[in-house]
Structures are given as structure tokens and as C-alpha cells.
């Protein structure tokens, strides 16, 4: 069964500290992985996707098929990074919008 | 960036009542989706809608649920007879050719 696991419910760091939000997935095929972010009182929005291999707002994520992971990283956290972060997987061959989400990790960046 | 507006932002209803949640307005999109998030749990896929018909649905999307796009712009989710466990945030999303989803702000449904 396809599954996305985000082991940390809450991650609290100080401003300027490195951040790593963990995401592991269970899927036998070729997944497409995403990170979505939800800032306070705002809508869910795409942060990045593994096929783009880009850095958004200083965040990067690398798909590691061997470890079935797609951890989100940022070398120096900022207070404005505080938000809920959701890792999501799209099945190959599934409808475009059939995403499987993890439970989310709340990132709190303290001054 | 596509704008996805949902109404109502919050609805309180009695168990057994019908509820209609709306995405308004949406233009020039072909792919529409509904998700829900029960408090404290993950965002779950309900249904995808393409070319005026359901293209995929999850096991959650049973006979109590239906979707339609009655006037070519509004995209609605109807729950025929609400149950307590239907209490959740319901998110509408639209898809683009790049595969990105744009979500609405959600409609909170409380079933008493």
C-alpha cells in the first residue's frame, strides 16, 4: 500500500539553525514526491517537487530511492518558515490530483 | 496563479442533513479535486473530476458523496446525509498542465 510517513509532529528550532523535515514513503513503483506548505491562516501551496530539482525559499529535497525518503532541508531557518509542512506522493498512473499526504510536521522557528 | 474560492468557510449542520460545499468561481480549468482533513489527521484524497465526470475516487467517497459542475464554473461537493464522522475541513483544488495543484482555503464542516 502507498503510504507517506512524517515521523515528527512538531519540530522546533532557533533562527539560523539547520532544519530537516523527514519524509519516508512506501511505494513499489516510481513515485512523484512533493512538499506542500501551509502558513498560518493560508491555503496549502506547493513548495517543491522532486522532478524539478530546484531550491525554493532556500529549501531543497532529494529523493533517495534506496532509503525511500524525501527529506526537506534548509541550512538556515528563518522565522517566516514557521508553518505546517506536508510531504505528498503521487502514484505513477494515478490521476494528477490523487496525492497521498503525510500527517504533516509543524515547524516552529524561534527568534 | 489560479484562484480557488470556497464557500462556506464554516458550516454547522445536524446529523442527517444534506450539505453542499462550493468552489467559486473557477475558470479555464479542466481538473478539479476534493480533499478532506479530519482534525489532527492527514489530508485525504476524495475525488478527481475531469471533463465533467469523475475520473478517480477514493474508498472514502461512497454513495453519500457526489460532485458536479452544474453551471460550468461552480464545482460542488454534496454530502447527502451527514454523519458525525464527516466533520472535517474540505479542500477544493484545481490542477494545471504542470501537475501542480492549487488549493482553496477550505470549508470547515461541523456535524452535530
Amino acid at each position: 500500500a502507498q503510504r507517506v510517513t512524517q515521523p515528527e509532529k512538531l519540530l522546533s528550532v532557533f533562527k539560523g539553525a539547520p532544519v530537516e523535515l523527514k519524509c519516508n514513503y512506501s511505494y513499489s513503483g516510481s513515485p512523484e514526491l512533493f512538499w506542500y506548505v501551509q502558513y498560518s491562516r493560508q491555503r496549502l501551496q506547493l513548495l517543491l517537487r522532486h522532478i524539478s530539482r530546484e531550491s525554493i525559499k532556500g529549501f531543497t529535497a532529494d529523493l533517495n530511492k534506496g532509503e525511500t525518503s524525501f527529506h526537506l532541508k534548509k541550512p538556515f531557518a528563518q522565522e517566516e518558515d514557521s508553518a505546517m509542512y506536508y510531504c505528498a506522493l503521487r502514484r505513477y498512473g494515478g490521476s494528477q490530483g490523487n496525492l497521498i499526504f503525510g500527517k504533516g510536521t509543524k515547524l516552529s522557528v524561534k527568534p | 496563479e489560479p484562484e480557488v474560492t470556497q464557500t462556506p468557510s464554516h458550516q454547522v449542520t445536524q446529523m442527517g442533513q444534506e450539505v453542499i460545499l462550493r468552489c467559486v468561481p473557477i475558470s479555464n480549468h479542466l481538473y478539479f479535486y476534493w480533499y478532506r482533513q479530519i482534525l489532527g489527521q492527514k489530508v485525504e484524497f476524495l475525488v478527481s473530476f475531469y471533463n465533467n465526470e469523475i475520473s478517480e475516487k477514493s474508498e472514502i467517497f461512497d454513495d453519500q458523496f457526489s460532485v458536479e459542475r452544474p453551471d460550468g464554473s461552480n464545482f460542488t461537493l454534496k454530502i447527502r446525509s451527514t454523519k458525525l464522522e464527516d466533520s472535517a475541513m474540505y479542500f477544493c483544488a484545481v490542477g494545471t498542465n504542470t501537475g501542480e495543484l492549487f488549493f482553496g482555503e477550505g470549508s470547515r464542516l461541523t456535524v452535530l
Side-chain angles (χ1 to χ4, degrees):
Chain A
Q2 299 98 40
R3 189 167 57 244
V4 174
T5 303
Q6 293 180 250
E8 303 137 330
K9 248 180 146 173
L10 172 65
L11 185 62
S12 186
V13 301
F14 285 102
K15 178 182 168 182
V19 167
E20 183 179 51
L21 294 148
K22 291 186 168 51
C23 172
N24 289 91
Y25 66 90
S26 172
Y27 180 59
S28 57
S30 296
E32 196 173 347
L33 275 297
F34 305 82
W35 277 99
Y36 277 80
V37 61
Q38 189 173 29
Y39 300 103
S40 179
R41 287 187 286 277
Q42 294 188 30
R43 63 193 70 201
L44 266 170
Q45 55 188 281
L46 179 66
L47 181 62
L48 52 79
R49 53 201 304 182
H50 90 270
I51 60 173
S52 301
R53 295 182 173 273
E54 56 191 346
S55 173
I56 304 292
K57 298 184 179 182
F59 285 97
T60 58
D62 292 315
L63 178 61
N64 185 323
K65 290 186 178 180
E67 296 182 359
T68 60
S69 68
F70 188 56
H71 303 326
L72 183 68
K73 299 177 185 178
K74 185 169 182 176
F76 308 104
Q78 303 300 314
E79 288 180 70
E80 55 266 29
D81 295 328
S82 296
M84 280 293 294
Y85 290 81
Y86 296 93
C87 183
L89 174 155
R90 175 184 294 150
R91 294 182 300 116
Y92 178 78
S95 73
Q96 184 196 57
N98 188 345
L99 297 178
I100 299 167
F101 283 87
K103 286 190 174 184
T105 297
K106 183 174 182 179
L107 175 64
S108 174
V109 182
K110 299 176 179 176
Chain B
E1 183 175 301
E3 187 169 315
V4 182
T5 304
Q6 290 186 239
T7 59
S9 57
H10 187 194
Q11 180 156 356
V12 181
T13 190
Q14 295 291 324
M15 193 168 56
Q17 294 297 305
E18 177 183 280
V19 161
I20 298 176
L21 306 177
R22 292 183 172 83
C23 271
V24 178
I26 298 173
S27 58
N28 301 322
H29 292 292
L30 296 176
Y31 304 95
F32 306 91
Y33 310 93
W34 283 102
Y35 284 80
R36 80 169 185 192
Q37 185 177 30
I38 295 171
L39 186 63
Q41 298 188 27
K42 60 180 68 178
V43 178
E44 300 173 292
F45 169 78
L46 291 178
V47 65
S48 60
F49 191 83
Y50 170 71
N51 202 24
N52 288 322
E53 61 182 28
I54 291 173
S55 54
E56 193 171 358
K57 60 183 181 179
S58 71
E59 59 273 13
I60 301 169
F61 195 87
D62 61 22
D63 292 343
Q64 292 292 331
F65 292 91
S66 62
V67 289
E68 62 177 2
R69 202 172 168 223
D71 56 8
S73 62
N74 296 341
F75 178 51
T76 63
L77 174 69
K78 182 192 289 187
I79 308 174
R80 287 193 187 83
S81 178
T82 50
K83 304 186 285 286
L84 294 176
E85 53 265 38
D86 293 328
S87 295
M89 280 291 286
Y90 288 83
F91 295 101
C92 173
V94 298
T96 67
N97 291 336
T98 62
E100 183 173 351
L101 295 190
F102 289 91
F103 285 85
E105 291 185 338
S107 293
R108 180 173 297 283
L109 175 64
T110 301
V111 183
L112 302 177

